[in-house]
Amino acid sequence: KAGVTQTPRYLIKTRGQQVTLSCSPISGHRSVSWYQQTPGQGLQFLFEYFSETQRNKGNFPGRFSGRQFSNSRSEMNVSTLELGDSALYLCASSLAPFTGMGEQYFGPGTRLTVT
Amino acid sequence: GQQLNQSPQSMFIQEGEDVSMNCTSSSIFNTWLWYKQDPGEGPVLLIALYKAGELTSNGRLTAQFGITRKDSFLNISASIPSDVGIYFCAAMNYGGSQGNLIFGKGTKLSVKP
């Protein structure tokens, strides 16, 4: 079956702009989690959505937001982009809310560059 | 805040060698996970550990959940070229509404020149 897909794969934006990233989970998976990966901070949890509701949130400013649609597809939005937002944004899907049990599957990520 | 200290940061391997890496924390966790990430791809789960003292294998990979619940290690035996990549440890406390993953900074495995 198809894996987690993320679009676009690469994106270049300017400081102050906003950006929307998309994630389509594996068919049947209802939980989508978002992560930010940078060389300095490593992988950091952003938020998790399950059944269109935000279930968990990491320590990121309110400029980072997300939503999930009824078909489980999820979008992540970053407003007023800063240079430090340049990162690989990964999404992961799982059947149920990820509690550590079971597996979540990661997509290939969206590489965002802010200039 | 909580953080995981993963070491070594990088290492070079020669085919056939055994490899060890570990993760430590000052916090207690009830789940430890090990991932591998290849260039241009997302992390892939290698081994999951849910019980203190647990030793789990996946082919040539073996991982252990430390008895204090503050550490974990991963061993790769008889390494092969496709083992090259970045290995991440991750830990979490599941349950409630606050469970989320914390990741180590990664161990980069490269082939000895």
Side-chain angles (χ1 to χ4, degrees):
Chain A
K1 58 183 175 184
V4 178
T5 58
Q6 292 187 245
T7 56
R9 291 294 310 276
Y10 302 91
L11 202 51
I12 300 175
K13 288 286 188 179
T14 304
R15 263 184 306 176
Q17 287 186 315
Q18 74 163 18
V19 67
T20 299
L21 312 181
S22 179
C23 172
S24 293
I26 291 172
S27 177
H29 285 195
R30 293 168 60 196
S31 175
V32 174
S33 298
W34 287 90
Y35 297 85
Q36 181 195 64
Q37 186 175 29
T38 61
Q41 298 299 318
L43 269 156
Q44 294 182 283
F45 171 77
L46 279 156
F47 29 65
E48 178 186 27
Y49 285 86
F50 178 75
S51 293
E52 302 178 63
T53 301
Q54 187 179 87
R55 190 173 172 275
N56 283 307
K57 190 177 191 307
N59 295 322
F60 278 81
R63 299 185 297 108
F64 292 82
S65 63
R67 59 177 175 167
Q68 187 179 34
F69 301 95
S70 58
N71 62 358
S72 295
R73 189 178 70 85
S74 177
E75 287 182 348
M76 190 192 94
N77 185 276
V78 187
S79 62
T80 319
L81 284 166
E82 300 177 0
L83 294 178
D85 296 333
S86 294
L88 181 68
Y89 289 89
L90 292 160
C91 94
S93 77
S94 55
L95 281 168
F98 185 66
T99 61
M101 289 287 183
E103 186 168 351
Q104 61 175 351
Y105 297 84
F106 283 84
T110 293
R111 172 76 61 188
L112 172 65
T113 302
V114 182
T115 61
Chain B
Q2 296 174 322
Q3 59 181 11
L4 302 182
N5 301 307
Q6 187 171 351
S7 65
Q9 283 187 331
S10 63
M11 57 193 310
F12 289 89
I13 59 172
Q14 203 150 45
E15 189 169 352
E17 286 181 339
D18 294 345
V19 171
S20 287
M21 60 192 77
N22 68 80
C23 246
T24 61
S25 173
S26 58
S27 302
I28 291 174
F29 295 99
N30 57 27
T31 299
W32 283 90
L33 307 169
W34 285 92
Y35 291 85
K36 182 185 181 219
Q37 186 174 22
D38 291 325
E41 298 182 17
V44 174
L45 181 66
L46 299 173
I47 293 180
L49 301 159
Y50 303 113
K51 191 176 173 182
E54 180 182 0
L55 187 72
T56 298
S57 293
N58 177 5
R60 294 178 296 104
L61 277 61
T62 302
Q64 183 158 28
F65 190 144
I67 198 74
T68 64
R69 295 201 286 154
K70 294 181 179 181
D71 59 355
S72 177
F73 72 76
L74 175 71
N75 284 343
I76 305 173
S77 63
S79 57
I80 59 178
S82 63
D83 290 334
V84 163
I86 302 178
Y87 292 79
F88 293 97
C89 62
M92 68 184 287
N93 286 313
Y94 57 81
S97 62
Q98 296 303 312
N100 62 70
L101 275 177
I102 300 171
F103 288 85
K105 293 286 178 70
T107 294
K108 185 177 181 180
L109 242 58
S110 306
V111 177
K112 266 182 193 170

